[in-house]
Amino acid sequence: MKKLKKNKLLLIIFSLILVTLPFIKTGLFTSAKADTKTNVTESAVKKISFNTPSDEAPGINNETGRWINTDKNITMEDLKGKVVLIEFWTFGCYNCRNTLPYLEKWYDKYKSDNFEMIGVHCPEFDNERNFENVKSSVNELGIKYPVLTDNEFSVWEKYDVHAWPTIFLIDKNGTIRYSRIGEGKYDKTEEVINELLGENYSSGKNN
């Protein structure tokens, strides 16, 4: 009788193992796949950021946009020879406000003939479409760099932006070399700024 109970118990344990094994196996493979995907993505971003060109930066001109903190209608051609940071933002976005201290620090630290920063303001709500509201917010937030309003999202679409805030870093030759969506990775972004500032500018006139 004891032997029969023991065999029955072993049979139950063996059955449970057979039932749960597929789930354990699937979980392990899913976890491994996610980790691999994350690593590949980070590697690809680093490659684009530091070693190889991405796309030529589109123009920042638009039909209805107005500039704040500058009297000049800035074009990408004007910015050739400079490292350019462009941030797409809106003043009512909490995440955008969280990035501002870092942007202001970089602007004060690197502002020179070789570095420029542009804020492209794309409204999320109706009150953010009003130019005076944008201008007032720029002043209140202490933003010193040029800001362009993009109510029609034409520049947003040229850069294929999908979220606030989104940052692009463009090298001295006008090529997008790095992008960052959302908050965080500030050390990485500043690392790329320094990397691009150390590169030479080739106008292409003599090539």
Side-chain angles (χ1 to χ4, degrees):
M1 180 65 70
K2 289 183 178 179
K3 187 175 181 181
L4 182 62
K5 287 183 178 180
K6 184 178 180 180
N7 290 339
K8 188 175 181 181
L9 181 61
L10 289 172
L11 182 61
I12 292 172
I13 292 171
F14 183 70
S15 299
L16 287 171
I17 292 172
L18 288 177
V19 170
T20 57
L21 185 61
F23 296 98
I24 295 172
K25 189 175 181 181
T26 302
L28 288 173
F29 275 110
T30 303
S31 177
K33 187 175 181 181
D35 289 342
T36 302
K37 186 176 182 182
T38 301
N39 291 336
V40 168
T41 301
E42 290 177 355
S43 175
V45 170
K46 185 173 182 181
K47 185 176 181 183
I48 291 172
S49 302
F50 291 98
N51 301 324
T52 60
S54 178
D55 298 322
E56 183 177 354
I60 53 175
N61 57 305
N62 58 16
E63 292 183 4
T64 61
R66 297 174 66 182
W67 286 94
I68 302 168
N69 290 340
T70 181
D71 296 327
K72 186 177 180 181
N73 183 27
I74 302 171
T75 68
M76 288 308 300
E77 192 62 33
D78 297 329
L79 298 171
K80 287 288 180 69
K82 298 183 179 183
V83 174
V84 183
L85 186 154
I86 297 179
E87 185 193 40
F88 290 83
W89 72 295
T90 184
F91 69 75
C93 168
Y94 179 79
N95 302 98
C96 297
R97 287 174 176 257
N98 287 343
T99 66
L100 289 179
Y102 298 93
L103 295 178
E104 291 166 5
K105 182 187 76 172
W106 296 334
Y107 188 70
D108 289 339
K109 184 176 180 179
Y110 298 108
K111 173 68 172 126
S112 67
D113 293 338
N114 295 324
F115 182 78
E116 183 59 271
M117 190 178 291
I118 304 286
V120 179
H121 186 274
C122 302
E124 185 174 9
F125 303 107
D126 287 342
N127 69 311
E128 296 167 340
R129 292 180 172 276
N130 183 283
F131 178 75
E132 292 304 322
N133 289 345
V134 179
K135 188 175 181 179
S136 176
S137 294
V138 167
N139 183 56
E140 289 173 6
L141 293 168
I143 296 172
K144 303 172 186 174
Y145 49 85
V147 173
L148 172 67
T149 60
D150 187 32
N151 287 354
E152 306 307 318
F153 288 78
S154 60
V155 183
W156 171 289
E157 290 175 359
K158 289 177 188 178
Y159 279 78
D160 193 27
V161 180
H162 299 280
W164 297 270
T166 295
I167 286 174
F168 291 91
L169 280 174
I170 300 163
D171 67 19
K172 297 174 184 177
N173 296 307
T175 301
I176 296 174
R177 297 284 295 279
Y178 175 86
S179 64
R180 168 72 187 168
I181 300 172
E183 301 179 44
K185 301 284 186 180
Y186 300 113
D187 290 343
K188 174 66 177 275
T189 304
E190 187 168 12
E191 182 183 350
V192 180
I193 291 173
N194 279 289
E195 180 75 14
L196 297 182
L197 284 171
E199 293 182 352
N200 294 324
Y201 168 54
S202 175
S203 65
K205 292 180 180 179
N206 298 321
N207 293 339

